[in-house]
Structures are given as C-alpha cells and as structure tokens.
C-alpha cells in the first residue's frame, strides 16, 4: 500500500523496559517543572512536613527534592524505581477511592529513564540511610549506605541527556525556572501545613514556613505566593452542600486581572485544569466582571474520592466527576452567593476557609458541624429573622416592629437585588445593616439589625460609598476621557511600543488613548479626566515598565484610585451634619449595595456590629 511505512516490514517485538519507561516519560516528564511536580507530590504522599527543592540551570542540570517524610524501607528502594510499583494501590477498588496524589507507580522509573537519578532514603529506626543510583541502562545499581536524616532525597541530573530530541523542546533556564516556580507555588497553596523552600543556582527564591491555624500567617503566605495584597483583596469562601465543600478565596471583582494568571482550582488537594469547574467559576463572575477581565481565585473543592476520577490524564491535570452537573451547579451557586454578599458575607472576626488535602476530614466536617456555627455565623445576610415571630425582640425605644416601619417607609420599598435579579427583601424582612435608630454625637449612626446593634461612622461610610461608585464607573469604562489639545509625544523602544499596541483595549477602557507613531514613538491623545493633573509622561512610562515586567499593569487603576479617593472625601457628608432617619436609612442601603458591588474594603472600618451575644455578655446576662 504505502511504502513510506517501513515498520510494516519489521517483526513485532516486546519492547525492553528501559524503552517502555522512556516512552512513558513522554507523558509525565515534559520539563523540569513536571519532574518537580511528581517528586513533591511523592513527598507529600509520604507525609512530609517540609520539602526543599534545589535547582540548577532551570532544573535541567539538576533538580533535587528532599523531604522529611516517612522514607522508603531498604528492601523497597529498588522496587520504588521499577515500573508500576507503588505503595498506594493494591487493587482496583483502591483506584476508585484514591486519596493520595500519586498512584500510577510510574513517575520514578520514568524520570530515571531520562536522567541520571539518585534516590536516597531513610526510614524511622534505620541506623543510616541508603542510596541507589540508576545507571544509563536504566537498572538500579547496588545499595550503598549514606548519611541521611529520616526522609527521602531524589536527585535528578542532566534531564533528557539521553533523549536529545526531547531536550530540544526545553526552553531557556529562565523559562524553565518560571515553570518550576509556578509548580511549587501551586502545590504550596494547597498545603499550608507544609514548609517549602526553593533555591536556584544556590540562591534562595522561596522560603515558606508551615502555617497552622493562624489567619495572619496564612495571609502572609498567600501574599508571598501570589503577590502582596492578594489576601486583602480576597473574600474567603467556605460553602458546603451535601457531600461537597468549596473553600478558599476569590478576589473581589474590582481587583480582577488582565490575565488569567491567578486561577488555582484544586479537587481534593490536587490542582486541576478542568473545563467544567472553570466554566462554573467564570459564570459566577459573569455578572460582576467585564468579559475582558479575568477573575483571580484559589479554590478547593472537596468531595468523596469516589465521586471523582483522577485517573484521566497521566499527569493528572484533569479529573472526571461522576456527577458533573451537580458539581458545576454547586460551584457556580456557591461563588455567586459569595460574590453577591461581598464583605458582608465575611464572618465577624474573619472566616477561615477549610483548607487542604484531606478530603475525608472536610467531607466529614460537613455532615457534623455545619448548621449553627458554619453557615449561621456567616454574617448578616444569612440571618433573616422576622420580628413578629420573635417575642424577645423589641426595637430599642421605638414601640413598633421594625418590619412595619420599613414597610411604611416609601423610600425603601425595594430592597437590594438578589444576584438573580429578584428583589430579595420582603417588606417584613430586615436588611443586613438593619434600620437607623439615631445619630450619636453627630458622628455615628446607630441602627438595629437582626443580629444586634450596628454602629456606622457616617463620614467614613459615605466616603466609601462615593468612592466605590466612582470606582465602578471607572471600572465599567465609563470614566470620562479628556482629549489633549496637543498630543503628548513620548519616545520608547520598539518593543515597548509594541506592548502598548497589544494592551490598547485595556488602556482605552480606563480612558487612556495612545497611538503608535513610527516604530518607537507614542502619541497620547486622550487621558482619563480624573488624571489630567498627574505627570502623564511618567505614568505612561511606568505603565510600559509594568507591562514589560509581567504583562499586566495595575498602575493606572492605582493612580486612579488615589484620585478617586480624594474626590470622594470632598464629596461626602461632613461630620456633625444632622441626618434625618430616611437619610440614614438610605445610607445603610447604599452601604449594602456597595458591599454587594464588592469593591475594595481596606482601611479603617466603616461600621461595626455589636451582636445580641456581645450585649448579653456586657450585661452579664444568660450566664
Ligand atoms: P506513585 O507515586 O504513583 O506510587 P512513584 O513512581 O512516584 O509512583 O513512586 C513509587 C513509590 O515509591 C511510591 O508508591 C512510594 O512508595 C515510594 N516513594 C517515592 N517517593 C517517595 C518519597 N519521597 N517518600 C517516601 N516514599 C516514596
Ligand atoms: Mg508519585
């Protein structure tokens, strides 16, 4: 038939093991980063509390992963290096409920077949460590004693030295290092209880101490992994349904990104890129995010290992859910709800999401401890008591139920909108921040909510509302622009000019119109009206530097936010102005809307809540 297929002429042979391993390596070992992923996952499966990763020349020359896990017993060292040898599965039913990161038993032999690999290990109780070197034939050599603390070290040198065709696909050291760092980052995000360090050519790049339950340290670690500010800009997520739990963080839409570079989704502790969940997340953000922007999130979905098949992809980047539809809807609804409750959905004192790699723990936790303190304590939006049905609940000093007062107030007939566009509040329900009672000292607004007393700093709250409004107008691309009578000309390098070309859309959205004139010339033609007084040339140059550094720039928004904040301050209620009750209620409703609009929430608090329990405690009641 076709004589360009010479293989037809050859006899069928069983391939030698070494070649089989090299072929398998094609699926799991793509580059140093994939080696690192397999080795670190092995360390985690071995219960490591600390994992040290040292790389040379992007990990191509050398990649060494050390851990303090359980180690490999002497009689199993050579076995660990043979194909389809694993301690994690014994029979098919294990595969259906696999809770470890590895289970295919092919990483070590595959890596060993395309590198010079040394495996050293020591288990508890052994007098010394043992080390085995894999020869170029792919066969493990003699076991030799070595000094090694409890744990395992895998030292991988000269990746692809014997498969030059594959070596050609490696990129520069820098690029490979970038991939490597990304892998370490992804894994470290999911394992706050494990310490990690990463060094390159002897220089430390990351050093992450394990964090316990301390939210401050956890936030620090998030910032170390994702850049400063992530934790501050994020809403914590902790949602549960029967057999499903979603935890982690989503960044407020106002801090969305121009690139999809901060999207981490884990299923039972395993980072996956799954179309189904990506779609669900995207859809949840669709109401609150411009389509050209990308949400940022770190999310952990936990479900019974029996409900998900991790054995779909050799490198396990994908999973298959048994109930895909249900998982999709759960993720979508959980996030949509979280995004629409905004900062008001945060539990008082900060709610820390369930983290991590222990599916059983988390799923069990759902069954036991959910109703009262998990969901009930998640903030004012969650609690909707009807006053009439609660005898002990009398508004302070005012002899009519709040529900009626609210219903009678023509200004506030319609409550905040639900995410699905329904008016959420029935006339008798109580909005999250309740109803105004009085103004105190000209400065504070006192309100009664279902959960207790709300105290609002009027000026701060109003300033926030104005600021967020300005900011969302800006974010929606409705920021007024102002044409320059004489375009501002700036000389940059052709590469930099090219960057501005690429990001033209983003810039125009925030009101900056820049044309390219010639290879390295830029003409700034229109600027955001809010920014007309800043040093434009400096701003544009800084912008280019940001774009060159990481392909995105928050600088324009930062500058703008500064200007917007100043404007908001001048435009808001001064202290000591008397407000009427309807004015105060209007402010409360505005605050709820703004929180729902999910804009930034840093700086000093604009309101506090003194709960019924707090009051009882103050008056030593109910002891
Ligand atoms: P898998 O992880 O799929 O089981 P691997 O080839 O990655 O397959 O590892 C083979 C076996 O070697 C593992 O099942 C485990 O028993 C052992 N092993 C590998 N790395 C480590 C380690 N860092 N600590 C303890 N045991 C390890
Ligand atoms: Mg493994």
């Amino acid at each position: 038939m076709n004589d360009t297929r010479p293989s037809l002429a050859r006899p069928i042979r069983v391939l030698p093991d070494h070649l089989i391993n090299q072929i398998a390596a094609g699926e799991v070992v793509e580059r140093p980063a994939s080696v690192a992923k397999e080795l670190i996952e092995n360390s985690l499966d071995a219960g490591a509390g600390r994992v040290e990763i040292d790389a040379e020349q992007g990990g191509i020359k050398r990649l060494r992963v050390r851990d303090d896990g359980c180690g490999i017993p002497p009689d199993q060292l050579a076995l660990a290096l043979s194909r389809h040898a694993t301690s994690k599965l014994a029979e098919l039913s294990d595969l259906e409920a696999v809770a470890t990161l590895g289970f295919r038993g092919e990483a070590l032999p595959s890596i060993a077949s395309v590198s010079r690999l040394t495996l050293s290990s020591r288990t508890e109780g052994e007098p010394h460590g043992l080390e085995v070197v894999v020869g170029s034939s792919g066969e493990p050599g003699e076991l030799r004693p070595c000094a090694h603390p409890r744990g395992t070290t895998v030292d991988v040198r000269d990746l692809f030295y014997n498969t030059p065709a594959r070596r050609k696909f490696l990129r520069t050291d820098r690029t490979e290092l970038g991939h490597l760092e990304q892998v370490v980052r992804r894994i470290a995000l999911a394992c706050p209880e494990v310490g990690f360090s990463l060094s390159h050519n002897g220089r430390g790049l990351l050093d992450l101490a394990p964090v316990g339950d301390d939210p401050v340290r956890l936030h620090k670690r998030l910032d170390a992994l994702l850049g400063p500010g992530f934790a501050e800009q994020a809403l914590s997520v902790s949602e549960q349904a029967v057999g499903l739990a979603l935890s982690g963080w989503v960044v407020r839409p106002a801090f969305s990104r121009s690139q999809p570079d901060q999207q981490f989704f884990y299923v039972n502790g395993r980072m996956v890129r799954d179309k189904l969940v990506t779609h669900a997340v995207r859809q949840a953000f669709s109401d609150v995010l411009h389509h050209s922007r990308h949400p940022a999130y770190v999310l952990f979905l936990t479900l019974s290992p029996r409900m998900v098949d991790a054995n779909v992809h050799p490198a396990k980047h994908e999973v298959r859910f048994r109930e895909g539809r249900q998982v999709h809807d759960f993720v979508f609804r959980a996030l949509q709800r979280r995004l629409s409750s905004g900062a008001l959905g945060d539990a008082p004192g900060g709610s820390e999401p369930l983290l991590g790699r222990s599916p059983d723990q988390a799923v069990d936790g759902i069954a036991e401890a959910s109703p009262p303190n998990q969901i009930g304590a998640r903030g004012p939006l969650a609690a909707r008591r009807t006053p009439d049905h609660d005898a002990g609940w009398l508004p302070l000093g005012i002899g009519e139920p709040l529900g009626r007062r609210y219903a009678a107030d023509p200004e506030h007939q319609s409550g905040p909108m639900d995410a699905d566009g329904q008016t959420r509040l029935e006339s008798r329900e109580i909005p999250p921040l309740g109803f105004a009672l009085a103004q105190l000292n000209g400065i504070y607004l006192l309100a009664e909510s279902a959960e207790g007393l709300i105290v609002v700093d009027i000026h701060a709250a109003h300033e926030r509302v104005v600021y967020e409004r300005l900011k969302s107008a800006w974010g929606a691309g409705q920021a007024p622009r102002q044409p320059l009578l004489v375009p501002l000309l700036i000389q940059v390098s052709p590469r930099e000019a090219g960057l501005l070309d690429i990001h033209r859309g983003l810039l125009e959205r925030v009101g900056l119109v820049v044309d390219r004139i010639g290879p390295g010339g830029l003409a700034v033609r229109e600027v955001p009206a809010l920014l007309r007084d800043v040093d434009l040339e400096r701003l544009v140059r800084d912008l280019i530097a940001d774009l060159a550094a990481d392909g995105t720039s928050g600088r324009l928004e930062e500058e703008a936010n500064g200007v917007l904040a100043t404007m908001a301050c001048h435009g808001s209620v001064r202290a000591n102005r008397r407000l009427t009750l309807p004015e105060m209620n209007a402010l409360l409703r505005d605050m709820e809307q703004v929180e729902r609009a999910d804009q930034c929430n840093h700086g000093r608090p604009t309101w506090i809540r003194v709960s019924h329990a707090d009051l009882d405690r103050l008056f030593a009641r109910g002891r």
Side-chain angles (χ1 to χ4, degrees):
M1 295 191 289
N2 186 341
D3 52 8
T4 62
R5 290 184 191 167
S7 61
L8 288 180
R10 295 202 197 162
I12 297 173
R13 286 188 301 161
V14 173
L15 297 174
D17 275 354
H18 191 44
L19 186 53
I20 294 177
N21 285 334
Q22 287 178 324
I23 293 171
E27 294 183 306
V28 247
V29 188
E30 190 191 345
R31 55 182 7 143
S34 36
V35 174
K37 171 180 179 288
E38 294 295 334
L39 298 183
I40 301 170
E41 289 188 347
N42 279 347
S43 297
L44 296 172
D45 282 346
R50 181 167 174 84
V51 183
E52 292 171 8
I53 303 119
D54 299 293
E56 286 171 28
Q57 298 182 13
I60 303 169
K61 181 91 200 99
R62 185 174 192 189
L63 182 68
R64 191 182 64 176
V65 176
R66 302 172 69 101
D67 67 57
D68 60 356
C70 63
I72 306 174
D75 58 327
Q76 292 172 22
L77 265 179
L79 205 53
L81 292 163
S82 40
R83 192 163 173 70
H84 301 312
T86 176
S87 55
K88 301 167 194 174
L89 285 187
E91 49 191 48
L92 184 64
S93 63
D94 294 342
L95 181 59
E96 285 166 7
V98 65
T100 48
L101 293 167
F103 53 80
R104 297 170 64 106
E106 55 186 12
L108 285 183
S110 301
I111 297 165
S113 73
V114 292
S115 69
R116 303 184 215 272
L117 182 144
T118 307
L119 171 64
S120 340
S121 193
R122 178 170 162 192
T123 50
E124 191 78 60
E126 288 294 320
H128 53 73
L130 285 171
E131 156 182 301
V132 55
V133 181
V134 182
S136 54
S137 62
E139 287 300 310
E142 293 282 290
L143 295 189
R144 287 192 310 231
C146 69
H148 199 285
R150 195 193 85 156
T152 303
T153 301
V154 183
D155 197 348
V156 177
R157 289 169 194 259
D158 302 323
L159 187 64
F160 298 144
Y161 78 100
N162 55 355
T163 49
R166 308 219 39 213
R167 205 184 158 102
K168 279 202 207 106
F169 283 95
L170 293 180
R171 305 282 160 215
T172 60
D173 291 2
R174 224 187 101 124
T175 305
E176 294 302 336
L177 177 64
H179 288 289
L180 185 64
E181 280 190 87
Q182 185 68 357
V183 158
V184 176
R185 210 167 266 141
R186 273 184 208 153
I187 296 177
L189 277 171
C191 309
E193 73 288 358
V194 179
F196 289 90
S197 71
L198 170 65
S199 80
H200 186 243
N201 296 342
R203 201 165 61 90
L205 297 180
L206 265 183
D207 193 1
L208 303 165
V211 296
D213 292 339
D214 181 357
V216 177
R217 291 177 61 197
L218 186 59
H219 283 184
K220 279 219 179 97
R221 181 154 161 162
L222 277 177
D223 283 353
L225 288 166
L226 297 172
F230 180 91
E232 188 186 53
Q233 296 155 5
L235 300 169
S236 60
V237 175
S238 178
E239 296 279 343
Q240 300 165 356
V242 182
L244 292 166
L246 187 71
S247 63
W249 299 269
V250 287
V251 165
R252 295 156 202 273
F255 296 97
S256 65
R257 300 180 69 84
S258 59
Q259 303 295 325
D261 59 345
Q262 289 198 342
Q263 304 188 341
F264 301 89
F265 200 99
Y266 302 78
V267 176
N268 290 346
R270 187 192 305 284
M271 161 103 186
V272 297
R273 278 178 234 117
D274 183 86
K275 284 209 194 72
L276 183 97
V277 289
T278 311
H279 181 267
V281 175
R282 188 86 225 170
Q283 200 182 337
F285 269 91
S286 65
D287 275 355
V288 286
L289 206 60
H290 190 268
H291 58 79
S292 68
R293 304 289 296 173
H294 299 272
Y297 52 83
V298 177
L299 290 169
F300 303 93
L301 178 69
T302 317
L303 70 173
S304 160
R306 299 194 176 277
M307 300 303 287
V308 51
D309 184 0
N311 187 26
V312 180
H313 187 284
K316 312 187 198 79
H317 290 316
E318 290 162 26
V319 290
R320 201 176 291 134
F321 294 105
R322 201 183 288 176
E323 301 287 346
R325 185 78 233 162
Q326 192 196 341
V327 168
H328 179 281
D329 289 356
F330 168 67
V331 170
F332 165 66
R333 271 180 226 291
L335 290 181
Q336 193 195 40
R337 196 161 44 234
R338 189 64 188 90
L339 287 168
S340 63
S341 65
L344 285 171
D346 276 335
S351 65
E352 278 319 315
L354 289 160
L355 271 176
R357 315 199 312 109
S358 167
D360 298 333
Q361 237 175 306
V363 174
D364 287 345
I366 302 166
E368 290 161 19
S370 74
N373 38 20
Q374 282 289 342
I375 296 173
R378 295 189 32 78
L381 280 179
R384 295 197 193 118
R385 279 202 275 167
T386 326
D388 288 358
H389 296 159
D390 190 335
W393 199 76
L394 258 185
L396 282 164
I398 296 171
E400 68 182 314
L402 287 179
R404 206 172 311 144
R405 187 144 48 91
Y406 179 64
D409 184 346
E411 278 203 58
H412 301 114
Q413 287 295 350
S414 60
M417 300 288 262
D418 236 343
D420 56 7
Q422 300 292 309
T423 297
R424 182 166 46 75
L425 293 170
E426 296 298 329
S427 61
R428 308 187 80 78
E429 285 188 299
I430 305 143
L433 293 176
F435 300 101
L437 300 169
Q439 191 175 359
L440 181 70
N441 204 15
I443 298 174
Y444 300 109
L445 181 167
L446 307 183
E448 178 172 22
S449 78
E451 297 198 322
L453 177 69
I454 302 282
V455 184
V456 176
D457 177 332
I458 296 171
H459 175 66
H462 195 241
E463 185 176 330
R464 166 79 55 76
V465 168
V466 175
Y467 173 52
E468 301 299 356
R469 292 251 157 96
L470 287 169
K471 222 165 51 166
S472 41
W474 169 271
Q478 292 150 359
R481 282 188 210 160
Q482 180 165 321
L484 297 179
L485 283 179
V486 183
L488 172 69
L489 302 181
I490 303 177
Q491 280 301 317
V492 295
S493 75
R495 179 171 165 268
E496 290 172 329
L499 283 172
L500 271 185
D501 260 357
I502 298 169
H503 295 279
R504 188 190 302 273
L506 170 78
L507 296 177
E508 284 190 14
R509 197 172 63 80
V510 296
L512 193 64
V513 180
V514 186
D515 283 340
R516 191 165 173 181
I517 43 167
L522 299 177
V524 183
R525 299 195 189 279
E526 290 183 38
V527 299
L530 290 168
L531 292 185
R532 63 179 170 246
D533 294 330
V534 307
D535 179 347
L536 277 175
E537 172 155 2
R538 204 207 68 217
L539 175 66
V540 172
R541 287 192 183 282
D542 288 352
L543 262 170
I544 296 176
D546 283 3
L547 293 171
D550 53 17
T552 168
S553 176
R555 194 173 296 273
L556 207 60
E557 343 260 319
E558 268 166 40
E559 295 264 351
N561 288 351
V563 178
L564 296 176
T566 317
M567 292 183 36
C569 181
H570 292 295
S572 41
V573 188
R574 300 279 101 203
N576 292 320
R577 214 200 97 201
R578 281 273 139 215
L579 296 181
T580 62
L581 271 186
E583 278 177 324
M584 288 192 269
N585 278 325
L587 176 59
L588 292 171
R589 303 294 80 81
D590 280 348
M591 289 169 65
E592 285 156 0
Q593 292 285 357
V594 160
E595 296 283 7
R596 288 171 63 78
D598 225 344
Q599 308 294 312
C600 99
N601 185 28
H602 48 249
R604 56 201 180 100
T606 55
W607 60 277
I608 57 164
R609 173 174 43 221
V610 185
S611 69
H612 293 129
D614 294 335
L615 289 169
D616 290 348
R617 214 173 306 120
L618 285 172
F619 291 99
R621 254 174 175 264
R623 280 207 190 146

